[in-house]
Amino acid sequence: MSASPPASTHSDKEASSHNDDPKTALFNAHVDVSGVDERKLMRKIDIALIPWLSFLYLLSFLDRTSIGNLKLYGLEKDLNITDTQYLLGLTIFFFSYAIFEVPSNVFLKRLRPSLWLSMLMLLWGVMMTVQGLVHNFGGLMAGLFPGVNYYLSCWYKRSEFGIRAALFFSAATVSGAFGGLLAAAISNMGGIGGKPAWAWIFILEGLATVIAGVASFWIIQDFPDTAKFLTEAERTVVVRRLQGDDQFSAAGEKLRMKYVWQGLLDWKTWVGMIVYTGCDMPLYAFSLFLPSIINQVRFHATPANLLTVPVYVFACIITCLVGFLADRWGRRGYFNLVFLCLGAAGYIILIASRNAALSYFAVYLATCGIYPCLGIKQCEGSYKRSVSLAMTISFGNINGAVSSNVYRQRDQPWYPLGLVLMYIGFGLISTLSYLYFLRAENARRDRGERDEVIGGKEGDGQDTKNGRYATVEDAKREKGDDWSGYRYTL
């Protein structure tokens, strides 16, 4: 076995990056980072962050989508609700879920992630548990997913973010597989304590979330510049490498409404909302009703739940593989285009097919257009990025309300899926638009059309249409990703 070359220390890399721009201040310039091995540091961060956050999202997604499994165990009959009331309950949930995501991300930045994310999980678990105690329609009833995406963006460079986000998001696919197995197992408790099987699923899954929420107060780490599990030298390396990736706010940023408005008004936020909606609406439709699709085509409750397991395992593998390759090649947008087309093919087959085996195969194909498609991290500035990410994800979740009304009882067993296909079309068109305008903007910056004036005095004859700043660092801080030296990834 050949020996691998020694890992370079961070000081070698940062020396070249910062010498190119002598006006950019070096974070913690007094700290010696020559002894920090960057590869070992990133492994340490991955171990501290990704597994537990993925587990929390697994529980969160499991709780949200278990309603699809519970429907097969007599939920509507026991609560004496109609199919319309069932769909209305799902619709109300998605609206309330989406409304609070933007303020939640702002609170996450203002407070500590270990406090805010843990509190969200704890309260969510309590609400989930009490849903197992309802006896009528009136008892049926945010922030984890956009919060964690923003939180991870504060730790990793753009070229590293995709695979971590994919690993985190793959918890949704694992929860789908695990949810089917868990629902089948817990359903055997039906009748214990006078409660039906669906109630026990609510109660036990909710209690697990409560326990995880309490534990999170001690397990979740805070932002890089204050993380207690890192040494001062390691914290310094993390912040410097983020700044070298044009994340100028990595060392900290004070809340100013200007940054919030930048996130709200940025065109990339609004186009990104359509891109994400093209993936998110089909995802929720898929997750909420996959057991019903399989059940109505051929199988009864427990076999239908068990047949969802291999579908989600396949989705998990594809999601992680695409995340890795998209980071490696830096072409997230192009991957989205390819897999949205595959997903569209799957849904076209589901619309046309009247054969159970062919429809089940199409379900696998449809997962390719849903789970691997993630947004592109294109905003700089802590608060701007938090608002932009939250708006994107909340708009996608609002359209989850649409997804909850796609599969109606009167349309079974062959549900019309044209609406889902339309949303995938939205995703394709908006992704193409996003790539076109980002490529055009990068070209303008390459030609110097966005260059700012650094230094000098008013009236010196220089063109200041892009602004005048005392230093490059001031330009970076004030303009974020609008700074002329920032380049968007495609």
Side-chain angles (χ1 to χ4, degrees):
M1 182 169 61
S2 61
S4 59
S8 62
T9 60
H10 185 75
S11 58
D12 299 327
K13 298 178 181 178
E14 71 179 15
S16 61
S17 65
H18 286 284
N19 286 340
D20 294 336
D21 185 8
K23 295 186 178 181
T24 299
L26 190 65
F27 178 74
N28 278 357
H30 64 284
V31 177
D32 178 17
V33 298
S34 60
V36 178
D37 186 316
E38 190 170 332
R39 289 184 183 178
K40 290 182 179 179
L41 173 59
M42 295 315 298
R43 283 197 296 269
K44 181 178 181 179
I45 293 172
D46 287 341
I47 293 171
L49 269 56
I50 304 301
W52 186 253
L53 293 174
S54 298
F55 176 66
L56 293 183
Y57 190 56
L58 184 151
L59 291 176
S60 171
F61 205 84
L62 182 68
D63 292 345
R64 277 181 283 162
T65 58
S66 60
I67 191 79
N69 294 320
L70 305 185
K71 188 179 180 182
L72 302 184
Y73 293 110
L75 174 70
E76 292 177 311
K77 180 180 178 181
D78 291 340
L79 294 183
N80 193 29
I81 62 176
T82 64
D83 183 58
T84 300
Q85 289 175 315
Y86 172 81
L87 297 177
L88 180 60
L90 295 181
T91 303
I92 293 172
F93 162 77
F94 279 109
F95 276 107
S96 60
Y97 178 71
I99 288 171
F100 294 102
E101 290 189 332
V102 173
S104 175
N105 260 20
V106 175
F107 277 116
L108 174 65
K109 178 61 180 175
R110 292 287 288 173
L111 301 175
R112 294 181 291 118
S114 57
L115 176 63
W116 185 249
L117 294 178
S118 302
M119 185 174 67
L120 289 179
M121 287 300 297
L122 176 61
L123 295 178
W124 175 268
V126 171
M127 292 303 299
M128 182 70 182
T129 303
V130 299
Q131 286 187 76
L133 306 177
V134 300
H135 299 287
N136 53 54
F137 172 63
L140 285 179
M141 33 177 256
L144 181 69
F145 185 63
V148 171
N149 270 277
Y150 165 67
Y151 173 65
L152 291 178
S153 76
C154 295
W155 280 90
Y156 295 102
K157 297 193 294 184
R158 285 178 290 172
S159 60
E160 301 166 338
F161 176 75
I163 181 60
R164 272 79 179 185
L167 288 171
F168 166 69
F169 185 64
S170 66
T173 65
V174 174
S175 75
F178 183 63
L181 293 171
L182 190 62
I186 299 178
S187 67
N188 295 319
M189 295 181 62
I192 296 178
K195 295 193 175 300
W198 64 263
W200 280 114
I201 295 173
F202 263 138
I203 292 170
L204 294 182
E205 290 182 2
L207 288 175
T209 304
V210 169
I211 294 171
V214 172
S216 294
F217 284 101
W218 290 274
I219 296 176
I220 293 179
Q221 306 297 329
D222 292 319
F223 292 111
D225 56 331
T226 60
K228 295 179 180 178
F229 77 105
L230 299 178
T231 65
E232 185 179 22
E234 289 173 333
R235 289 194 294 269
T236 300
V237 168
V238 174
V239 173
R240 289 184 189 177
R241 66 197 300 276
L242 291 174
Q243 290 178 329
D245 189 47
D246 290 338
Q247 295 190 42
F248 324 121
S249 59
E253 183 180 64
K254 292 182 179 180
L255 174 61
R256 294 169 57 186
M257 284 305 299
K258 169 186 175 180
Y259 301 143
V260 175
W261 283 111
Q262 284 178 348
L264 290 172
L265 300 177
D266 194 326
W267 70 267
K268 297 187 297 297
T269 299
W270 294 91
V271 177
M273 288 161 61
I274 306 299
V275 172
Y276 189 71
T277 296
C279 310
D280 209 34
M281 182 275 186
L283 183 150
Y284 276 116
F286 190 86
S287 302
L288 290 169
F289 293 97
L290 179 60
S292 293
I293 297 171
I294 298 175
N295 169 246
Q296 295 300 335
V297 169
R298 190 167 183 173
F299 300 96
H300 297 295
T302 296
N305 274 329
L306 293 178
L307 278 173
T308 66
V309 174
V311 177
Y312 285 115
V313 171
F314 173 74
C316 181
I317 295 171
I318 293 295
T319 299
C320 293
L321 179 62
V322 170
F324 172 77
L325 294 176
D327 271 2
R328 174 66 62 88
W329 295 331
R331 291 292 183 267
R332 164 61 64 182
Y334 295 105
F335 273 93
N336 281 5
L337 288 175
V338 171
F339 283 91
L340 282 170
C341 289
L342 287 176
Y347 276 104
I348 289 173
I349 295 174
L350 282 172
I351 291 172
S353 171
R354 290 298 180 266
N355 177 275
L358 181 60
S359 295
Y360 187 60
F361 164 77
V363 164
Y364 284 87
L365 200 56
T367 62
C368 292
I370 298 173
Y371 287 96
C373 296
L374 298 172
I376 309 172
K377 176 187 164 191
Q378 298 287 13
C379 287
E380 171 45 24
S382 295
Y383 284 103
K384 179 180 180 180
R385 188 165 62 248
S386 70
V387 170
S388 181
L389 276 171
M391 284 184 62
T392 299
I393 295 171
S394 66
F395 188 70
N397 286 329
I398 285 176
N399 284 274
V402 179
S403 72
S404 64
N405 291 276
V406 170
Y407 301 92
R408 300 169 299 183
Q409 274 189 345
R410 65 174 180 264
D411 297 322
Q412 63 187 26
W414 307 106
Y415 297 102
L417 299 171
L419 188 62
V420 178
L421 200 58
M422 181 186 73
Y423 270 84
I424 292 178
F426 288 161
L428 283 167
I429 294 171
S430 56
T431 299
L432 283 169
S433 302
Y434 203 58
L435 292 175
Y436 173 80
F437 287 113
L438 288 182
R439 182 184 292 276
E441 180 60 27
N442 282 345
R444 293 188 188 97
R445 297 183 184 191
D446 290 339
R447 293 192 298 267
E449 296 178 18
R450 304 298 194 209
D451 287 355
E452 303 86 2
V453 175
I454 304 300
K457 297 180 180 180
E458 294 293 338
D460 57 8
Q462 298 189 71
D463 186 356
T464 59
K465 67 178 181 180
N466 295 318
R468 181 191 295 273
Y469 301 91
T471 65
V472 173
E473 187 175 355
D474 288 341
K476 291 178 178 180
R477 182 176 59 252
E478 291 298 316
K479 299 190 72 173
D481 58 280
D482 290 329
W483 174 57
S484 59
Y486 190 97
R487 294 297 182 271
Y488 297 108
T489 58
L490 303 177

